[in-house]
Amino acid sequence: MNSKVEELRARFQSEMNAVRDAEGLEKLRVAFLGKKGFITDVMKTMRDMDENDRKEMGRYMNEFKAQVTQELAEQGKKLQARLEEEKLKNDVRYDISLPCESPLGTLHPITIVQRELEEIFSSMGFAVEDYAEVVTEYDNFEAVNVPKHHPARDMQDTYYLDNGELLKTQTSAAQNFILRKYGAPCRAIFPGRCFRNEDVDASHETTFFQMEGMMVDTDISISNLIYFMKTMLSEVFKKDITVRLRPGFFPFTEPGFELDIQCPFCGGKGCATCKHGGWIELCPCGMIHPNVLRMGGIDPEKYTGFAFGLGLTRLAMMKFGISDIRYLNSGSLKALDQFKTL
Ligand code: FA5
């Protein structure tokens, strides 16, 4: 009797050793545990046995059945684990042992200059602020003394949303927010992306960056403005920079200026970068208009301040000798890859 079970056990072991996959394992299960399997067959023959033999055989068969069930389950787990291992091995995404061949990225030239400026101004006690790209008409125009129908709006046509908000045309759109946030005295810079409905050419984009700065305190004068501009530009170009102010009109300044720098490339002698004039127009600025201070909750009788709106994109172009603004938004790695070492 026992020999019958041992024969089955040996057969099971030999077939189990030959199993290579889940399909083979399932076939083995059906062959031994299925309704028409070997174990059922033997069980059926037990009906004709006398009681003692039937009991003995029943015990053997129950033990064998338990053994078969357990070994099938264990082998199932092993096969599953092997399958997953194979899958991982063949899946290159998970092969962390492969050498990394993707080239390292680099900071965008504008980001490089922006971070440099943030460091320079932080060291002079300025807070670095951020502001939204979608702003209200009030922020962008009214709060900086450009009422509805003012002709200055024509120069800054932009993209309007259905709800009346717009993509900001100038970082000056954050002036009111900054004045209200800090009150007086305050020193802050706020770089940001600006948008204008512009004919695109080598020096004009529809999307570009500016960096605005403001300083408000008692007795702030144009000398303070010149000092900070000169210090900042000398740091950026790593040499002493000569600046000059020309009158410029901005409704939010009184007086307003265009700040030019003596060309840092030819020292003012004239070259292609300064279009042979020796000077480069770089940074509109001025003393903050009393109306703007008032709208920002600051008493213009007590406080004065300066503001500037540096063309960050143009400064980055100048610093890195980039001849066409369109490279900067192009996503062209050929153009942008050169700044890897900076
Ligand atoms: C202004 O935007 C004023 N808000 C600046 C200002 C701030 C003046 C505070 C006084 C006080 P303007 O439109 O000139 O000014 O733009 C400032 C700078 O942004 C320009 O000198 C230029 O460098 C840059 N800029 C303007 N339009 C574009 C454009 N389409 N593409 C690239 N850069 C631009």
Side-chain angles (χ1 to χ4, degrees):
M1 211 181 305
N2 197 5
S3 65
K4 177 98 181 144
V5 180
E6 285 314 314
E7 199 183 300
L8 268 184
R9 205 189 296 280
R11 180 170 185 175
F12 176 73
Q13 287 307 341
S14 126
E15 289 189 19
M16 178 62 109
N17 289 341
V19 166
R20 292 283 165 268
D21 52 24
E23 204 183 331
L25 194 70
E26 177 59 11
K27 274 189 189 150
L28 188 62
R29 189 193 67 76
V30 173
F32 280 82
L33 297 178
K35 270 187 196 158
K36 293 177 184 165
F38 297 124
I39 292 177
T40 315
D41 283 352
V42 175
M43 297 283 211
K44 275 184 194 159
T45 63
M46 285 163 53
R47 267 181 255 149
D48 307 325
M49 291 179 184
D50 66 38
E51 198 176 339
N52 283 342
D53 288 350
R54 193 164 57 239
K55 272 190 185 160
E56 196 181 356
M57 190 63 170
R59 196 158 43 78
Y60 284 144
M61 288 309 289
N62 280 341
E63 275 172 18
F64 178 56
K65 194 174 172 182
Q67 181 198 350
V68 168
T69 309
Q70 187 185 343
E71 286 192 22
L72 283 169
E74 278 170 11
Q75 187 64 9
K77 276 188 201 154
K78 276 188 206 157
L79 284 173
Q80 183 62 27
R82 206 181 300 154
L83 201 73
E84 274 164 23
E85 203 178 304
E86 287 286 311
K87 218 165 124 189
L88 284 179
K89 242 191 238 167
N90 295 331
D91 192 338
V92 284
R93 281 178 306 169
Y94 294 106
D95 190 350
I96 55 167
S97 65
L98 279 177
C100 175
E101 279 171 12
S102 37
L104 275 182
T106 172
L107 291 178
H108 193 279
I110 294 174
T111 311
I112 295 172
V113 177
Q114 181 181 324
R115 291 197 179 168
E116 202 175 332
L117 288 171
E118 286 175 1
E119 223 166 89
I120 295 167
F121 276 102
S122 298
S123 74
M124 297 193 288
F126 282 69
V128 179
E129 278 288 344
D130 196 6
Y131 199 61
E133 289 176 357
V134 176
V135 300
T136 60
E137 225 180 304
Y138 178 82
D139 281 341
N140 202 79
F141 294 120
E142 271 125 81
V144 285
N145 209 25
V146 186
K148 274 195 180 8
H149 312 301
H150 192 289
R153 288 198 182 197
D154 289 350
M155 290 179 290
Q156 298 194 11
D157 186 18
T158 183
Y159 306 90
Y160 285 79
L161 276 66
D162 287 343
N163 66 3
E165 291 183 339
L166 51 98
L167 300 188
K168 74 168 186 267
T169 62
Q170 49 183 353
T171 39
S172 304
Q175 282 196 7
N176 188 261
F177 165 78
I178 300 290
L179 291 176
R180 292 200 167 274
K181 177 169 176 181
Y182 289 94
C186 106
R187 290 178 187 202
I189 55 162
F190 29 108
R193 188 182 271 126
C194 302
F195 308 85
R196 290 187 194 177
N197 181 9
E198 197 89 69
D199 284 336
V200 175
D201 60 27
S203 52
H204 292 85
E205 259 287 8
T206 53
T207 303
F208 57 96
F209 284 79
Q210 288 184 346
M211 199 190 75
E212 192 99 352
M214 274 201 299
M215 181 172 183
V216 178
D217 209 330
T218 48
D219 298 326
I220 295 291
S221 68
I222 296 169
S223 318
N224 298 104
L225 168 64
I226 295 174
Y227 168 79
F228 279 102
M229 294 294 94
K230 219 169 133 51
T231 308
M232 177 264 289
L233 292 166
S234 301
E235 288 278 334
V236 170
F237 288 102
K238 312 275 185 255
K239 58 165 92 159
D240 210 20
I241 294 287
T242 308
V243 301
R244 76 174 182 194
L245 291 183
R246 285 180 293 116
F249 172 72
F250 304 97
F252 31 92
T253 56
E254 184 54 43
F257 307 103
E258 289 290 353
L259 181 141
D260 299 337
I261 61 170
Q262 195 167 50
C263 181
F265 302 103
C266 63
K269 289 193 191 85
C271 67
T273 309
C274 61
K275 298 199 177 93
H276 303 282
W279 293 89
I280 297 171
E281 182 179 315
L282 194 68
C283 183
C285 52
M287 299 305 291
I288 303 173
H289 196 290
N291 284 352
V292 176
L293 287 175
R294 216 172 278 121
M295 279 186 273
I298 291 173
D299 181 359
E301 300 296 328
K302 206 166 154 198
Y303 293 101
T304 48
F306 67 74
F308 60 88
L310 184 70
L312 197 56
T313 303
R314 297 229 179 117
L315 183 63
M317 289 171 70
M318 205 175 296
K319 184 173 159 81
F320 295 119
I322 299 167
S323 57
D324 194 317
I325 197 171
R326 286 166 287 200
Y327 286 131
L328 293 167
N329 286 353
S330 69
S332 155
L333 290 180
K334 212 167 157 190
L336 300 173
D337 225 24
Q338 318 165 40
F339 306 100
K340 196 172 277 177
T341 51
L342 293 165

